[in-house]
Amino acid sequence: MFTKIQNKTMTCAVLLLSLLIAFVALTANANLNAQAQTFEQRIPNYGLYCNDSETITSGKVKFDLTDTELLSQGKGIVQYEYQVAANDGEVEFAIPFLARARELPQISVMVNGQAVEGSVWFGDEAFWIDNEFDIENTYSPILDESVTGTLYTVIPDSNTITISLSYTESKSFIYETSNDLSSTHSASGSHTWTLRNALSKPSYCFFVFGDPATNTFDSSCEYQTETITCKEFIERQYSLFEEYYDHNGGVPIELFYAVVNKILQNKSYMSYDKLFFNSIDSIRVNTYKFSMPIEADSVIRYELPVSVQRNYSFKPLIYLTEQKQVGNYVTSYTIELSSENPYLIESSIKTENKGLSYTAETAEDFYFVFSSSEKPTNTASSNNGTNNTGLIVGIVVGGVVCIVGIALTIFLSYRRRV
């Protein structure tokens, strides 16, 4: 009798312990997911870049976050001032920035009080976890007018057509397809497209760069050929959709010149839709380039909008602003906050403050978080219900522990009887 009571007590204890461990695992996972809540897409600003690492001697950056209306739109203003040393020849500078081609900021650069003209070089597409700046990954907005190619215009005669392209040396090309297709290609330079629902378009463009003698083009239906410059090809397509581009914020034709320059540089290829439609919505790491002779120590000044990221998992919500360093010079930062959001609650380095003004100095990347409260509450951990991943993990852990517990109880009971 006593042995049975012992066995039951032990079983209850093990089961209770199993449930407790499962609960702890579930809670720990829920807390982890709550901590994983992050800001909106990370869009940092960047410092001034120069190929000559000794030219920029120091920088001053002021974040003006006092305009509450701008802040409600996730924006602010940042003012830049850089000291540059005298140089024997002309020096090229670059101002990196993240933006879509239809949302380019107006950049006005002053050197010793005089305006200096520059141009936007469009960069690679950026992702929220991959927005590093590399001057080599920006492309000229000027397209060499001597670059020619062959435009193949395919006219479908049935709902399914086949198009093939092969070449003996690496070639760049732009291809257009229907919304239902299959394709194959080989490393030797052979591409075949099977277009279904082909009659949905009156024609399809295939523009192949370079000498047509080094490639073979064929189609199961009629096609026309024309040798034109690459610039003319881009201009023709741009004129077809210019009203659409204007409606989407005024996409400059220079974007397409830059993307084509990238295609030529990498000897790659791209679909027609990706070039003329998808590319306008891509956030890119662009750069505003300008060159000038630096005959004496000088001061470069300019102003840019800054993206202020918001985290709605906190009450009141918290804001983050960051800047990436693109040189080895020291930068002094000043942060001006408003009385509505006066608290700087976190930063990558120690800051000093006087009222609503905070200061810091570093040669590394810099970020800071601010809010209207000194201690915002993370509301994610108090949301109703639990994250599905946490629930699954908790059930699995609890189930495993429970099974092990029952097996252990049976084993101990068997041993006691023996």
Side-chain angles (χ1 to χ4, degrees), residues 263-316:
I263 293 172
L264 288 167
Q265 178 179 308
N266 297 335
K267 294 184 178 180
S268 58
Y269 50 87
M270 181 176 287
S271 74
Y272 184 95
D273 285 351
K274 184 174 182 181
L275 173 58
F276 292 107
F277 296 105
N278 299 348
S279 64
I280 72 173
D281 287 318
S282 299
I283 297 178
R284 302 174 182 275
V285 186
N286 311 301
T287 184
Y288 183 84
K289 284 189 177 183
F290 59 97
S291 300
M292 52 178 292
I294 306 291
E295 298 174 352
D297 292 355
S298 302
V299 178
I300 297 176
R301 293 187 178 92
Y302 58 93
E303 184 176 285
L304 280 175
V306 60
S307 178
V308 182
Q309 309 305 304
R310 294 164 289 190
N311 190 329
Y312 293 95
S313 296
F314 287 80
K315 186 177 181 180

Side-chain angles (χ1 to χ4, degrees), residues 39 61-65 71 308 316-323 332-361 366-376:
F39 292 85
V61 176
K62 179 181 178 180
F63 292 98
D64 185 350
L65 303 167
L71 191 62
V308 182
L317 59 83
I318 61 177
Y319 303 89
L320 175 142
T321 298
E322 58 183 323
Q323 176 160 311
S332 300
Y333 292 94
T334 300
I335 305 161
E336 297 288 347
L337 300 180
S338 70
S339 57
E340 293 187 20
N341 293 279
Y343 298 104
L344 195 150
I345 57 178
E346 183 183 334
S347 61
S348 56
I349 60 170
K350 184 180 178 181
T351 61
E352 303 291 338
N353 78 293
K354 185 176 181 181
L356 298 174
S357 180
Y358 295 79
T359 57
E361 186 174 278
F366 177 64
Y367 79 86
F368 58 92
V369 180
F370 62 101
S371 178
S372 61
S373 170
E374 195 169 8
K375 294 182 178 180

Side-chain angles (χ1 to χ4, degrees), residues 24-57:
V24 170
L26 189 63
T27 306
N29 191 269
N31 288 336
L32 179 63
N33 284 322
Q35 292 167 2
Q37 297 293 332
T38 187
F39 292 85
E40 298 166 324
Q41 187 176 25
R42 304 290 285 272
I43 303 180
N45 277 39
Y46 302 80
L48 183 65
Y49 173 84
C50 183
N51 276 325
D52 182 353
S53 61
E54 304 300 320
T55 296
I56 305 174
T57 57

Side-chain angles (χ1 to χ4, degrees), residues 246-263:
D246 288 342
H247 179 71
N248 280 274
V251 181
I253 194 171
E254 287 79 10
L255 165 68
F256 307 108
Y257 293 158
V259 174
V260 168
N261 278 326
K262 176 184 177 180
I263 293 172

